[in-house]
Amino acid sequence: MALQTGLDYMRSRTVVDCDTMDEEVAKTLGPFQDCTSNQAIAFGELSKPIRAEVISTSLADAKALHAKYSSITIEELAVEVAMVRMAAGMAQHIRGRVHVQTNPYYSYSSEKTVINALRLVQLFQHVHPGFDVDRISIKIPSTWEGMMACRTLELAGVCTLATTLFSMAQAVLAAEVGCTYIAPYVNELKVQVNTGLVDQAKLLPLCAAIQKHYKAINASTKVLPASLTSVEEIYFLAGVNHLTIAPHLLSQLNQPYTGNVNSLFDVAPTLPIPAKGVSFVNDPGSYQITFARDLGGASQIKLTEAVNIFCDFQDKLEQIMKVAA
C-alpha cells in the first residue's frame, strides 16, 4: 500500500484547491477542485518568459475589444484578458471553478465592481467560446461595497468569493448577501510580500468559528481559507470546506504524512459564535462600526493593507502591458 502523503490526508478531510495559474502545478500535483488567483499571482505568472505570448495575444485582443469596453484603458483591459486567458487554461486541469479577482481599485465602488465582474465573465466567452459560466467565480475584496456587489452578482447568477476577509462581521455579511465562498486570510497579506515578516495574530481559529456559525444558520457559503505560510497551518485546517494552497506548500505536502497536528475542526471553536439573529445587510452603520472595532481596529487595517497591496500589483500588471505595447 502506498504511503499516505500530506496531500492525501488533506484531500480526505477537505476540498483542496490550488492557488496558482501555473498549469504544470495542476498537472503534477492534482487533482484539484478549484483554482484561485489574484493580481499578485497573475503578476508572478506573466513575469515568466514563457508567458510572453499570453501578453502579446491579450494586448491584441484588448485593442480589438476596446471600442466595446471603452470606459477602461487598453492596458487594464489587456490585464483582464490575460488573467481570464490563464484561468481558462487552468480550467482544463481542474474539476471545479476558476476564481478571477476584480480590479482592486474598484474595492469601494459596488457599481464599478459589478461592471468589472460582468466584463470578466464576458471575456471568458471571448477567449474560450462556450466556457461554462458556472465554472467562473469572481473574487471581490470584502469591503461593504464589495459585498453589496456580490449580492447583485449572485442574484444575476454569477458565483462570487468574498476575499481578504479578516473578521466574523465580514463573514456574517458575506453569508447574508449569498456569496458562494469566502476566503478568510489566515495571515495578513503583507506577510506574502515581505520576506521574514510573521503574522503574530493568525486567524486559524476564526476559520473554524465561521464554519461552525455557517452550519448553525444553514448558510450555503463555503469557507475557503487563503494566505497560508506553512504545512502546519494547513493541517490545523483539515476539515474546512475548501482550502487553497500555493505551489511551494503543495510540494511540501506531497511528502509522507506524519499526523502530528490536531485540526481545529476536531475540537470546539475557541472563538464565540454569533447569535443566529445577527444581521448586518440592512444596517450598514452597525456593520461598519462592528468591523471597525474588531480586534481594536486590526481587521480593518489588514483589509486596507490588502487592498493597497493588490492595487500595487494591478499597477505592475498594467505596466507590463504598457511596456509590451
Side-chain angles (χ1 to χ4, degrees):
M1 182 177 178
L3 195 63
Q4 186 184 45
T5 67
L7 262 177
D8 293 329
Y9 168 69
M10 288 305 299
R11 286 182 172 126
S12 74
R13 300 284 314 268
T14 288
V15 176
V16 175
D17 307 324
C18 57
D19 199 23
T20 181
M21 289 179 137
D22 186 338
E23 293 182 32
E24 289 304 312
V25 172
K27 292 177 186 177
T28 58
L29 294 172
F32 298 106
Q33 182 66 21
D34 289 5
C35 163
T36 56
S37 66
N38 54 47
Q39 278 71 15
I41 290 172
F43 175 74
E45 197 64 28
L46 288 178
S47 297
K48 299 176 181 178
I50 196 173
R51 292 297 196 175
E53 185 177 350
V54 171
I55 293 171
S56 60
T57 304
S58 299
L59 261 173
D61 284 349
K63 291 173 182 176
L65 292 168
H66 193 238
K68 182 178 180 180
Y69 302 114
S70 58
S71 64
I72 61 174
T73 66
I74 289 175
E75 291 80 12
E76 182 180 347
L77 183 56
V79 168
E80 292 181 5
V81 174
M83 290 173 68
V84 166
R85 178 167 275 112
M86 290 190 291
M90 289 295 294
Q92 304 172 66
H93 310 293
I94 63 168
R95 297 176 294 199
R97 295 187 172 106
V98 287
H99 300 253
V100 180
Q101 188 161 290
T102 53
N103 188 328
Y105 275 98
Y106 303 149
S107 296
Y108 297 94
S109 170
S110 297
E111 180 182 4
K112 289 182 178 180
T113 296
V114 169
I115 292 170
N116 187 182
L118 295 177
R119 184 169 59 243
L120 289 169
V121 172
Q122 292 169 359
L123 289 174
F124 269 95
Q125 297 306 313
H126 174 77
V127 304
H128 194 300
F131 194 92
D132 185 356
V133 174
D134 190 52
R135 294 194 69 195
I136 303 168
S137 172
I138 304 299
K139 292 180 64 178
I140 297 173
S142 296
T143 60
W144 170 270
E145 295 83 359
M147 285 195 273
M148 292 304 103
C150 288
R151 178 168 64 174
T152 299
L153 291 163
E154 290 283 353
L155 289 171
V158 177
C159 293
T160 64
L161 180 151
T163 190
T164 59
L165 189 143
F166 299 99
S167 70
M168 183 62 78
Q170 290 169 292
V172 168
L173 181 59
E176 287 193 276
V177 300
C179 292
T180 305
Y181 311 85
I182 61 165
Y185 271 33
V186 171
N187 295 274
E188 56 189 323
L189 184 57
K190 64 182 180 181
V191 166
Q192 305 293 347
V193 296
N194 293 309
T195 303
L197 186 65
V198 176
D199 190 334
Q200 300 298 333
K202 298 178 188 292
L203 299 183
L204 292 161
L206 178 65
C207 299
I210 292 171
Q211 188 160 305
K212 179 78 171 180
H213 172 59
Y214 282 177
K215 184 176 181 180
I217 63 172
N218 295 315
S220 61
T221 304
K222 301 299 182 185
V223 182
L224 193 163
S227 191
L228 304 161
T229 60
S230 71
V231 167
E232 184 179 49
E233 291 171 4
I234 292 169
Y235 289 148
F236 274 129
L237 293 171
V240 73
N241 298 140
H242 276 247
L243 193 62
T244 188
I245 306 174
H248 70 287
L249 293 175
L250 288 169
S251 295
Q252 291 177 39
L253 281 171
N254 200 33
Q255 303 298 320
Y257 174 61
T258 56
N260 58 357
V261 177
N262 294 321
S263 170
L264 295 176
F265 288 80
D266 294 335
V267 297
T270 57
L271 295 179
I273 306 300
K276 288 187 179 182
V278 171
S279 174
F280 294 118
V281 70
N282 295 315
D283 193 349
S286 176
Y287 170 78
Q288 296 288 11
I289 192 61
T290 302
F291 178 51
R293 295 279 294 157
D294 191 72
L295 299 180
S299 298
Q300 192 170 55
I301 290 170
K302 287 182 177 182
L303 174 59
T304 301
E305 289 178 341
V307 169
N308 272 282
I309 290 168
F310 282 136
C311 283
D312 289 343
F313 278 102
Q314 177 71 28
D315 291 342
K316 292 177 181 179
L317 285 166
E318 292 184 26
Q319 184 61 29
I320 285 177
M321 297 303 176
K322 287 179 182 177
V323 171

